[in-house]
Amino acid sequence: MNLEAIQENLPLYFSGALATFELLVISLLLGLLIAVPLGVLRSLRGSWISRLIWVYTYVFRGTPMLVQLFLIYYGLAQFEAVRESFAWPWLSSAWFCACLSFVLNTGAYTTEIIAGSIRALPAGEIEAAKSLGMSRWVMFRRIVLPSALRRSLPAYSNEAIFMLHGTSLASIVTIMDLTGAARQVNSTYYIPFEAFITAAVFYFLMTLSLVALFHKAEARWLKPLMPR
């Protein structure tokens, strides 16, 4: 075990862990931001908007995130119109393309999670809101959406953990994240076991932190809704 090389490169691992954390936060925040309105519209059965959103979620949930990342980062650069457009400074950035790919992917999964939680709401809550004379918008804002978001916490926590693990794909497009740091240490010292075990420990600690955070969130917002 070449622990001296790992110790010398701990700053590189911490830098990679920070990049991984930034990718995760950006992806989850922006993904949730687009998933909430899309999830509400997706829950409206029979509408053409719901069908369009279903196409988006079906495509991104039905294809590997690595393929999506390659299509956005490498594929779009193939077209001259894209290279000459105003968006090229962003689309030529590995960081932007990785964030875009992750946001669209987690947004698709989160949309279906929220839509499923809305459909699974107890009928009594909806009937109670209607009996109070609430309009459809007020009912969604004060009853349906808060209750659905609370009930979606267990499923969303799994999505957040999967997204954390999925950020490791960013190293393939030259981003020095946690996996990228491990690959660099391995290419320099030829110690794959030590290099990637160290990265795995970092991922494990970050996963434990996420699990603890969601457990506290569930205890605060979900537990009061559970049957006694």
Side-chain angles (χ1 to χ4, degrees):
M1 293 288 290
N2 191 349
L3 298 181
E4 293 182 0
I6 299 299
Q7 186 175 2
E8 292 176 3
N9 287 276
L10 278 180
L12 179 62
Y13 278 102
F14 281 109
S15 176
L18 179 61
T20 295
F21 178 75
E22 291 174 350
L23 285 170
L24 177 66
V25 171
I26 292 173
S27 302
L28 292 181
L29 286 181
L30 295 183
L32 184 61
L33 188 64
I34 67 173
V36 170
L38 291 182
V40 172
L41 295 174
R42 178 76 178 92
S43 65
L44 303 177
R45 300 180 184 273
S47 67
W48 63 270
I49 298 179
S50 178
R51 295 189 183 96
L52 286 179
I53 297 173
W54 173 83
V55 172
Y56 155 64
T57 61
Y58 190 82
V59 169
F60 277 89
R61 292 188 304 136
T63 56
M65 188 159 56
L66 178 60
V67 174
Q68 299 163 16
L69 179 58
F70 280 172
L71 287 175
I72 293 175
Y73 184 63
Y74 295 112
L76 292 179
Q78 173 184 343
F79 302 102
E80 185 177 353
V82 174
R83 297 195 301 270
E84 294 178 353
S85 69
F86 71 94
W88 180 242
W90 291 282
L91 293 175
S92 61
S93 167
W95 184 270
F96 178 85
C97 289
C99 288
L100 178 61
S101 175
F102 297 158
V103 167
L104 292 176
N105 185 275
T106 189
Y109 280 95
T110 309
T111 296
E112 290 296 337
I113 291 173
I114 294 175
S117 297
I118 292 175
R119 296 193 189 105
L121 286 180
E125 294 186 13
I126 307 298
E127 293 173 359
K130 290 180 179 179
S131 68
L132 293 175
M134 291 185 182
S135 65
R136 191 169 188 176
W137 164 247
V138 173
M139 182 176 64
F140 259 94
R141 180 171 58 88
R142 300 186 62 180
I143 305 297
V144 175
L145 194 55
S147 182
L149 290 177
R150 291 182 179 187
R151 287 181 166 85
S152 66
L153 275 175
Y156 185 68
S157 65
N158 291 332
E159 168 58 22
I161 293 171
F162 290 149
M163 196 66 245
L164 169 62
H165 299 163
T167 58
S168 61
L169 299 176
S171 63
I172 299 177
V173 291
T174 71
I175 294 177
M176 189 57 65
D177 68 334
L178 193 50
T179 302
R183 293 175 64 182
Q184 180 169 319
V185 171
N186 177 45
S187 63
T188 302
Y189 298 93
Y190 303 102
I191 49 173
F193 189 80
E194 295 92 328
F196 289 104
I197 281 292
T198 304
V201 170
F202 273 88
Y203 279 117
F204 182 71
L205 293 176
M206 295 175 73
T207 300
L208 285 182
S209 301
L210 271 180
V211 170
L213 181 64
F214 276 102
H215 278 174
K216 288 185 177 180
E218 291 176 20
R220 178 174 180 179
W221 289 303
L222 184 60
K223 191 174 181 180
L225 299 179
M226 300 299 290
R228 298 180 179 179

